[in-house]
Amino acid sequence: MSNPIADPLVEVPDVSPSTPLVHIEATQDGAATVIMNRPARKNAFDAGLISALSEAFETLRGAEGVRVVFLKGAGGTFSAGADLDWMRAAVDRSESDNRDDAYAMAHMLKQLWDLPALTVALVEGGAFGGGAGLAAACDMAIATTDEKFALSEVKLGLIPATISPYVVAAIGPRAARGLFATGQVFDAEHALRIGLISEIAADAAALAAAEARIAAEIRACAPGAVADAKQLAADVYAQKIDHGLMEETAKRIAQARVGGEGQEGVRAFLE
C-alpha cells in the first residue's frame, strides 16, 4: 500500500532570474524556504520586495509536493519593516497612489495566508512593522531569544492597516489595540505570551534545528488534510457554536473520512 503522505517533491522552480530580491530554496522532502534578500536594507519592504514576495508565494501555491514553506531574511535580519526611501516617496504621492501601494502589500500578505502548505516564519534580527505582520500571517513563527518586535506605525502618524487582520488573528484584539496604540518595542518572551510567535529558539543553531524538526514532522501529515485543516481554523474562528456550525463540521469530517487521504491514512494506521 502506498503512503499518501510520502510522495516525492516535484522540483520548485526559481522565482525568476529577474527578481533577485527573493530566493526560493527547495528540498526533495517537501520543504521550501523563501528568503528575503535585501540584507543591506535589513530586508525592509519596498515595492520591489513586495512584488517579488507575491511572485514567490504564487509560485509556491501552484507547486506540487510542497509540504512546508519557511520564511526568513538574508543577512541575519528578518525584516525592519518599511524601507525609509519608500516611505519618503509615499509622502509626495496622491492618496490613490498610496492606496495602490498599500493594496499590493495587502495582496502579498493574503497570498501568504492562503498557501495550502504549512507556513513558518523564522525570525532573527528583529521583526518590525510589516515584518511583524509577515510573521503573523504565517501559521507558525519561531524567534531566537534576543529578538525584538514592534508595531510602531503610530510613532510615524500612521496605522498598521494592511497587517492588522493577521496580527489581530494571531494575538487577539485587546493585545493588538495596546501594541498598535503605543508602538512599543517588545521581546520574544512577550511575543510568545501573546501568540505572535509559537516558540523561542535559544540561538541561530537552535532555530535551524527547529526548522529541521518541523520539516520532518510535516512529512507525517497528509498535504490535502493540512490545507483543509488550515481552512477549517479560519472558517470556525469566532463563529457561534450553533446547529449550523455543528452540521458543517460534521460534514467536513465525514468528507475527510471517505476521501482518498483519509481512507488510506486510517487504514495504514490501523494495519
Side-chain angles (χ1 to χ4, degrees):
M1 178 182 296
S2 64
N3 187 333
I5 60 175
D7 298 326
L9 172 67
V10 175
E11 185 178 356
V12 179
D14 290 335
V15 176
S16 168
S18 65
T19 55
L21 295 174
V22 170
H23 296 163
I24 297 178
E25 298 175 355
T27 66
Q28 288 302 308
D29 63 356
T33 303
V34 176
I35 304 170
M36 295 177 283
N37 191 39
R38 297 189 79 209
R41 305 303 290 254
K42 297 189 181 298
N43 301 311
F45 293 107
D46 65 359
L49 180 58
I50 291 168
S51 176
L53 284 169
S54 287
E55 190 172 348
F57 297 147
E58 182 63 22
T59 296
L60 290 168
R61 186 179 65 85
E64 294 289 337
V66 175
R67 304 300 187 86
V68 58
V69 175
F70 295 103
L71 181 61
K72 63 174 66 173
T77 299
F78 188 71
S79 176
D83 183 272
L84 294 178
D85 290 337
W86 188 48
M87 287 195 294
R88 188 175 295 115
V91 172
D92 297 321
R93 290 180 182 149
S94 68
E95 181 177 340
S96 177
D97 288 341
N98 272 286
R99 185 171 59 248
D100 290 343
D101 259 2
Y103 187 81
M105 179 75 172
H107 179 66
M108 178 272 289
L109 291 166
K110 184 63 160 55
Q111 287 177 296
L112 172 59
W113 180 262
D114 285 343
L115 283 176
L118 180 72
T119 56
V120 184
L122 302 173
V123 182
E124 291 184 90
F128 301 92
L134 198 64
C138 291
D139 302 319
M140 300 172 62
I142 306 172
T144 53
T145 305
D146 56 353
E147 293 316 311
K148 300 297 182 185
F149 302 81
L151 299 157
S152 53
E153 286 83 352
V154 291
K155 293 185 177 180
L156 303 173
L158 305 175
I159 57 174
T162 56
I163 66 173
S164 61
Y166 311 101
V167 176
V168 173
I171 70 176
R174 187 183 187 196
R177 284 197 300 270
L179 293 174
F180 286 176
T182 64
Q184 70 186 70
V185 177
F186 54 99
D187 60 16
E189 288 287 350
H190 187 70
L192 181 64
R193 282 196 298 271
I194 63 177
L196 183 60
I197 62 174
S198 313
E199 66 179 90
I200 296 175
D203 51 28
L207 190 65
E211 179 181 3
R213 185 195 77 234
I214 291 170
E217 288 173 346
I218 203 67
R219 288 287 295 165
C221 305
V226 169
D228 290 344
K230 288 177 54 168
Q231 188 61 52
L232 176 67
D235 290 345
V236 303
Y237 176 70
Q239 296 295 312
K240 181 180 179 181
I241 303 175
D242 57 11
H243 177 75
L245 187 61
M246 291 188 292
E247 284 282 359
E248 176 61 24
T249 55
K251 181 181 76 173
R252 292 196 190 191
I253 185 58
Q255 290 173 338
R257 286 174 180 170
V258 300
E261 285 184 347
Q263 287 277 302
E264 196 157 0
V266 172
R267 291 180 189 277
F269 173 76
L270 293 175
E271 290 172 4

